[in-house]
Amino acid sequence: MNKPKLLAQSALYLIVCELAAFVIVMFFPMAYQNIGVSMSVVFGICSTGACICLYGDFAWKAGKKAGVKDARLDGVDNSYFGFMMGLIPTGINYIFVILVYLSKFRVVSYDFYPLYKTLAFYFMPWTYLFAPNTMVDGVSTTMAAVDLPWYGLLIITILPLVFLATCYIAFYIGYKNYDMKAKIVYGK
């Protein structure tokens, strides 16, 4: 198992998640404007679900390969490497979150919240629950970071943990060669 390569791929998968979320969220502003807040939940589940599917597949396949290789070597157990794989995208997202916190508490003068919404595009529909864009003179504007409510900060703080949980669980399932299809379909 080439651990540095897997960690680099884990970081690069964020770009794939960004592109998948872009395709999903492309229609979000229109749906949000016509239907409302319920679209934040629907599109949030879809865009975050795409990230879960992409990272889940990647980590499961990596875990499956690692499990086969480690089974040949007696005494080697890398079943928890999925945690390390999940730390990469989670850490990158927490850099974005920290920048929002710095803006919120005016440690830095630049407002990083609009940048956060762009860099973490896969979480953008969730941000509309607490800070929707508004129209000012025909231009869509984002709420300033200093105006974000505490529960908004809580949501953007918890969301990156999705990557950590997904990578850890998927890698572990692949590594241990659990047959999830049989467990779900047949209850075995």
Side-chain angles (χ1 to χ4, degrees):
M1 174 170 61
N2 189 348
K3 291 180 180 181
K5 179 182 174 186
L6 286 174
L7 294 175
Q9 286 176 331
S10 184
L12 291 174
Y13 256 79
L14 272 179
I15 297 169
V16 176
C17 286
E18 190 79 21
L19 294 173
F22 175 74
V23 171
I24 293 168
V25 179
M26 189 172 12
F27 302 103
F28 172 69
M30 177 189 61
Y32 180 82
Q33 192 175 33
N34 292 330
I35 300 172
V37 174
S38 61
M39 287 295 100
S40 295
V41 175
V42 170
F43 278 88
I45 289 171
C46 290
S47 63
T48 306
C51 292
I52 290 170
C53 290
L54 289 167
Y55 267 100
D57 180 61
F58 164 64
W60 179 78
K61 287 177 182 174
K64 189 111 169 131
K65 286 179 186 177
V68 169
K69 286 181 182 179
D70 288 354
R72 294 180 192 147
L73 305 169
D74 291 333
V76 177
D77 183 18
N78 288 311
S79 62
Y80 299 105
F81 185 69
F83 184 79
M84 293 301 293
M85 288 173 54
L87 279 177
I88 301 296
T90 303
I92 291 170
N93 276 281
Y94 273 121
I95 291 170
F96 307 152
V97 171
I98 289 168
L99 293 173
V100 172
Y101 271 86
L102 292 175
S103 294
K104 167 73 174 168
F105 298 113
R106 298 180 185 193
V107 175
V108 293
S109 61
Y110 184 77
D111 185 12
F112 282 101
Y113 184 62
L115 188 61
Y116 166 80
K117 288 176 76 167
T118 303
L119 294 173
F121 200 63
Y122 29 82
F123 297 142
M124 190 264 296
W126 295 112
T127 64
Y128 272 65
L129 290 173
F130 56 86
N133 287 5
T134 56
M135 296 298 282
V136 177
D137 297 328
V139 177
S140 180
T141 59
T142 303
M143 178 185 286
V146 295
D147 298 329
L148 288 174
W150 65 269
Y151 56 89
L153 290 174
L154 181 65
I155 289 172
I156 68 170
T157 303
I158 292 173
L159 281 172
L161 294 175
V162 165
F163 295 111
L164 187 65
T166 300
C167 286
Y168 172 72
I169 292 168
F171 188 90
Y172 191 81
I173 288 171
Y175 189 88
K176 295 294 184 178
N177 200 21
Y178 290 135
D179 187 6
M180 295 308 292
K181 180 178 68 173
K183 289 185 186 288
I184 293 170
V185 175
Y186 304 114
K188 295 181 180 180

